[in-house]
Amino acid sequence: MNILNTLSILAAAPSEATAIWLPVFFWTFALVSVLSSLAVLVVKDIVRCAFLIMSSLSGLAGLYLLLGAEFLAFTQIMVYVGGILILILFGVMLTNREPLLIKRMKATGLVAPGVLAGLILFTAIGYSVCTVDWKVTDQPLPADADTPARIGNALMSDFILPFEMASVLLLVALVGAAMAARRGGAEG
Amino acid sequence: MTMASMYFDYANVAVFFVFAVVFVILNISVISVILRPTVENDQKDTTYECGEPSVGSSWVRFDMRFYTVALVFLIFDVEVAFLYPWAVVFKDLRGAIGGSATGVFVFLEAAIFLLILFVGLIYVWKRGDLDWVKSSSAQEVDARQRQMIEAKDEVRL
Amino acid sequence: MIFGGTMLSNGLVFARYSLAEWIQGLLGDRLEMIPEWILFPLLMLAGCLVIIGFITVFALFAIWMERKVSAHMQCRLGPMEVGFHGALQTIADGVKLLGKEDIVPRHADKLLHYLAPIIVFAGVFPLFVVVPFSEKILISDINLGLFFVAAVGAVEVVGVIMAGWASNNKWSLFGAMRAATQLVSYEIPLGLAFLTIILLAGSFSMVDIIHQQEGWLSNWFLFHNPFMPIIFLSFFTASLAECKRAPFDLPEAESELVSGFHTEYSGMKFSIFFLAEYAAMYVVCAIAAVMFLGGWSTGIKPLEAWLADSAGNPMREVLSNTVHLVVIVTKSMFLVFVQMWLRWTLPRIRLDQIMHVCLKVLLPWTMVAMVATSAIELCWPGGNMVLTALTIVIWSIPLLWTLKAILDMTVGIFLKFVPSGR
């Protein structure tokens, strides 16, 4: 496995290529996710909004990847782009009751509560981001930073209960989904 | 695996992605534009419906069942995502000789996880929510339930 | 010298071996004048070009093969005019498609209509990064290989829905909805099959998975225990659905939906969808070969050992890579052939049947088989000859039965054409 040797040499002395390309990727992913999130607010057509959410989510996955969280990044793509986005798209296609009514509805008295809720959420997130004592380090990740295996070991030792509770949560969601579908679905 | 090697692996993916996008754009918007004819014709731009003039927009409302399928899928998708870290450490934790205590524990943990969801699957299955085409008896049950819900809504109003 | 020969030859790119060395030989000392940050992407781009060449050649061949296979299965000849037995027919078709006008319907969402083929192709093409061809001929052995496939493979659905929606055509939208439902639901059995393999190999990486299956044929994960063929069958069924191949071809059911989600696409846009479909076919078949059929391993232990023993013998290394390349492509092509075979054997099934097969057959069976496999792994770590023998004995019964049916049929047809002597 001499490829690994080569690469470990490379990792020890971060190459010029990494130094140049990393910021490029960071700014690309960051701009993609921020700009498409902003576009979701502005674009009139809701189906296009749904597709913009996809690019926003993919940009986030790219950022996770740059942080070395491979597993998180691919879970993001698998669950959000491949799952939740499809759900949103189906939802959009289900809700439009009149043909051609795919434009965004006019805000009707919901502006004030919307702004308020947004402000509260923004303050909460901003507060927690500012107060948490982030452990910032410029050290490279340890060589055994094999994220899925680490997550696996953690799930099998310290986080057994959350792991099993996730299963119960999913069970509840499954039953709930079936109920929700039953309520509206019988009309065929 | 180190960060640097990871970056190089995914740099390949990035290059492939960009190449795919450029390749398609090149094909659609450059090469074929040079080679293909463009003959304006009003009829040609109409929606294709086997010769019939199309009526209305096709952006119509869809059946609820599609949404149900997507919901069920999402739940199992998350389940599978949870199991990937388990699967990758299973080999390390099960021990070299059969039936080590840790191994049994790890196995049981995942087995219980799956069992809980399996119960959910059986529940949904038995209630007929997985049936795309429902039997007439199941449809009757649905209709009755809908009536009950509607009655409740009326009371609330 | 920051950037030595070893680094290049072990490079980070396709054909780590020959291509990088060839470039170094070509440029010699001048190589160091190119900054590393330009050189690396360029080498990666070279990998892209090789892969796009492979996809194109594969698609040209596979389309011709599809037509020939279908024709011969129906006692026809298929394309015969262009080239030897119509071998150049696909190239002629490709040229024709290049010259076709690009029609965008008046009522379509023009932006999304344009973006859809890009997303579909960009969702399939990066998968080739992890598709291995041999020890040295692979783009990159990503640590999370199989998970990467599971994740990125899901992106294609979005493109399909986009195509159907943007066309503003009823056929397209119905096709897209069917496609989305089908693709989405068949990802679950696919994911469970991935899980089982990861469980056995203890790794996501394609190369690791193949290395686990080296040695004799009995080391292949397909023969690991009696439950593995169930996983294989469900994986193969799900991969048929993922490729939208018959009997799961409802998204583009010609006889009911014109052409499904790409009804409103013509010319190059249509061919991009086609190319992506055939590329996806190769990807799933190659991954099935890696997961169950030992990847590039020949299954003959002495031969493998002889090929691997290439210390100080560069010619043997080249030979080994060539043999492995041929082996894995042959395995994948065989699976591609089976896909085509099934297309002309089974009738298309209905959407409710598709959902039934996925949720009520594949899902419970794969779950049970996965738990059983992990229990077996727990009791007999690393496999067991008795279990392998049992697998082969149990599964040879349906296999032999199928072979007998095939033989009866083919011999029967053959006998029909033989003059009976009178």
mmCIF file of all heavy atoms in Angstrom, chain C residues 80-96:
data_model
loop_
_atom_site.group_PDB
_atom_site.id
_atom_site.type_symbol
_atom_site.label_atom_id
_atom_site.label_comp_id
_atom_site.label_asym_id
_atom_site.label_seq_id
_atom_site.Cartn_x
_atom_site.Cartn_y
_atom_site.Cartn_z
ATOM 1 N N MET C 80 -28.552 -4.851 -39.149
ATOM 2 C CA MET C 80 -27.624 -5.632 -39.958
ATOM 3 C C MET C 80 -26.894 -4.775 -40.980
ATOM 4 O O MET C 80 -25.921 -5.221 -41.580
ATOM 5 C CB MET C 80 -28.380 -6.730 -40.729
ATOM 6 C CG MET C 80 -28.868 -7.869 -39.874
ATOM 7 S SD MET C 80 -27.541 -8.775 -39.104
ATOM 8 C CE MET C 80 -26.982 -9.787 -40.467
ATOM 9 N N GLU C 81 -27.362 -3.537 -41.202
ATOM 10 C CA GLU C 81 -26.897 -2.792 -42.366
ATOM 11 C C GLU C 81 -25.559 -2.086 -42.139
ATOM 12 O O GLU C 81 -24.656 -2.174 -42.966
ATOM 13 C CB GLU C 81 -27.953 -1.745 -42.774
ATOM 14 C CG GLU C 81 -29.256 -2.352 -43.248
ATOM 15 C CD GLU C 81 -29.071 -3.201 -44.489
ATOM 16 O OE1 GLU C 81 -28.274 -2.814 -45.356
ATOM 17 O OE2 GLU C 81 -29.704 -4.280 -44.567
ATOM 18 N N VAL C 82 -25.449 -1.365 -41.029
ATOM 19 C CA VAL C 82 -24.279 -0.504 -40.841
ATOM 20 C C VAL C 82 -23.158 -1.299 -40.183
ATOM 21 O O VAL C 82 -23.251 -1.671 -39.021
ATOM 22 C CB VAL C 82 -24.633 0.713 -39.962
ATOM 23 C CG1 VAL C 82 -23.535 1.754 -40.036
ATOM 24 C CG2 VAL C 82 -25.961 1.304 -40.365
ATOM 25 N N GLY C 83 -22.130 -1.557 -40.906
ATOM 26 C CA GLY C 83 -20.998 -2.279 -40.330
ATOM 27 C C GLY C 83 -21.281 -3.760 -40.178
ATOM 28 O O GLY C 83 -22.355 -4.254 -40.555
ATOM 29 N N PHE C 84 -20.328 -4.474 -39.603
ATOM 30 C CA PHE C 84 -20.466 -5.916 -39.435
ATOM 31 C C PHE C 84 -21.608 -6.212 -38.479
ATOM 32 O O PHE C 84 -21.577 -5.805 -37.318
ATOM 33 C CB PHE C 84 -19.158 -6.511 -38.909
ATOM 34 C CG PHE C 84 -19.258 -7.972 -38.594
ATOM 35 C CD1 PHE C 84 -19.313 -8.913 -39.621
ATOM 36 C CD2 PHE C 84 -19.306 -8.410 -37.285
ATOM 37 C CE1 PHE C 84 -19.407 -10.255 -39.346
ATOM 38 C CE2 PHE C 84 -19.406 -9.769 -37.002
ATOM 39 C CZ PHE C 84 -19.458 -10.686 -38.033
ATOM 40 N N HIS C 85 -22.621 -6.882 -38.948
ATOM 41 C CA HIS C 85 -23.811 -7.196 -38.156
ATOM 42 C C HIS C 85 -24.360 -5.957 -37.441
ATOM 43 O O HIS C 85 -24.789 -6.033 -36.301
ATOM 44 C CB HIS C 85 -23.509 -8.313 -37.148
ATOM 45 C CG HIS C 85 -23.571 -9.674 -37.772
ATOM 46 N ND1 HIS C 85 -24.597 -10.550 -37.561
ATOM 47 C CD2 HIS C 85 -22.733 -10.286 -38.645
ATOM 48 C CE1 HIS C 85 -24.407 -11.652 -38.261
ATOM 49 N NE2 HIS C 85 -23.284 -11.519 -38.926
ATOM 50 N N GLY C 86 -24.299 -4.837 -38.122
ATOM 51 C CA GLY C 86 -24.860 -3.614 -37.552
ATOM 52 C C GLY C 86 -24.071 -3.028 -36.408
ATOM 53 O O GLY C 86 -24.601 -2.249 -35.618
ATOM 54 N N ALA C 87 -22.792 -3.376 -36.318
ATOM 55 C CA ALA C 87 -21.993 -2.939 -35.165
ATOM 56 C C ALA C 87 -21.849 -1.424 -35.104
ATOM 57 O O ALA C 87 -21.654 -0.869 -34.026
ATOM 58 C CB ALA C 87 -20.618 -3.588 -35.202
ATOM 59 N N LEU C 88 -21.942 -0.757 -36.231
ATOM 60 C CA LEU C 88 -21.762 0.695 -36.220
ATOM 61 C C LEU C 88 -23.093 1.437 -36.170
ATOM 62 O O LEU C 88 -23.140 2.656 -36.271
ATOM 63 C CB LEU C 88 -20.973 1.132 -37.462
ATOM 64 C CG LEU C 88 -19.594 0.475 -37.599
ATOM 65 C CD1 LEU C 88 -18.939 0.898 -38.899
ATOM 66 C CD2 LEU C 88 -18.710 0.849 -36.432
ATOM 67 N N GLN C 89 -24.176 0.670 -36.017
ATOM 68 C CA GLN C 89 -25.509 1.269 -36.007
ATOM 69 C C GLN C 89 -25.639 2.369 -34.956
ATOM 70 O O GLN C 89 -26.166 3.439 -35.221
ATOM 71 C CB GLN C 89 -26.542 0.170 -35.731
ATOM 72 C CG GLN C 89 -27.975 0.638 -35.713
ATOM 73 C CD GLN C 89 -28.432 1.064 -37.091
ATOM 74 O OE1 GLN C 89 -28.205 0.363 -38.073
ATOM 75 N NE2 GLN C 89 -29.054 2.225 -37.172
ATOM 76 N N THR C 90 -25.106 2.113 -33.765
ATOM 77 C CA THR C 90 -25.257 3.088 -32.683
ATOM 78 C C THR C 90 -24.523 4.373 -33.003
ATOM 79 O O THR C 90 -24.983 5.455 -32.653
ATOM 80 C CB THR C 90 -24.730 2.528 -31.363
ATOM 81 O OG1 THR C 90 -24.756 1.125 -31.415
ATOM 82 C CG2 THR C 90 -25.540 3.013 -30.215
ATOM 83 N N ILE C 91 -23.362 4.244 -33.664
ATOM 84 C CA ILE C 91 -22.625 5.460 -34.025
ATOM 85 C C ILE C 91 -23.462 6.273 -35.007
ATOM 86 O O ILE C 91 -23.608 7.492 -34.874
ATOM 87 C CB ILE C 91 -21.257 5.091 -34.627
ATOM 88 C CG1 ILE C 91 -20.421 4.387 -33.555
ATOM 89 C CG2 ILE C 91 -20.540 6.328 -35.147
ATOM 90 C CD1 ILE C 91 -19.091 3.919 -34.017
ATOM 91 N N ALA C 92 -24.073 5.578 -35.964
ATOM 92 C CA ALA C 92 -24.935 6.272 -36.926
ATOM 93 C C ALA C 92 -26.083 6.969 -36.188
ATOM 94 O O ALA C 92 -26.409 8.126 -36.474
ATOM 95 C CB ALA C 92 -25.475 5.280 -37.937
ATOM 96 N N ASP C 93 -26.654 6.257 -35.220
ATOM 97 C CA ASP C 93 -27.746 6.854 -34.439
ATOM 98 C C ASP C 93 -27.265 8.069 -33.669
ATOM 99 O O ASP C 93 -27.970 9.073 -33.577
ATOM 100 C CB ASP C 93 -28.316 5.830 -33.452
ATOM 101 C CG ASP C 93 -29.172 4.799 -34.165
ATOM 102 O OD1 ASP C 93 -29.534 5.057 -35.327
ATOM 103 O OD2 ASP C 93 -29.452 3.749 -33.563
ATOM 104 N N GLY C 94 -26.053 7.957 -33.124
ATOM 105 C CA GLY C 94 -25.498 9.076 -32.372
ATOM 106 C C GLY C 94 -25.324 10.299 -33.245
ATOM 107 O O GLY C 94 -25.687 11.416 -32.859
ATOM 108 N N VAL C 95 -24.796 10.082 -34.440
ATOM 109 C CA VAL C 95 -24.610 11.201 -35.374
ATOM 110 C C VAL C 95 -25.957 11.809 -35.722
ATOM 111 O O VAL C 95 -26.131 13.030 -35.754
ATOM 112 C CB VAL C 95 -23.866 10.713 -36.638
ATOM 113 C CG1 VAL C 95 -23.846 11.800 -37.691
ATOM 114 C CG2 VAL C 95 -22.456 10.282 -36.278
ATOM 115 N N LYS C 96 -26.941 10.930 -35.918
ATOM 116 C CA LYS C 96 -28.289 11.414 -36.214
ATOM 117 C C LYS C 96 -28.809 12.296 -35.080
ATOM 118 O O LYS C 96 -29.328 13.383 -35.306
ATOM 119 C CB LYS C 96 -29.220 10.218 -36.414
ATOM 120 C CG LYS C 96 -30.652 10.596 -36.671
ATOM 121 C CD LYS C 96 -31.582 9.431 -36.432
ATOM 122 C CE LYS C 96 -31.782 9.168 -34.974
ATOM 123 N NZ LYS C 96 -32.684 8.057 -34.674
#
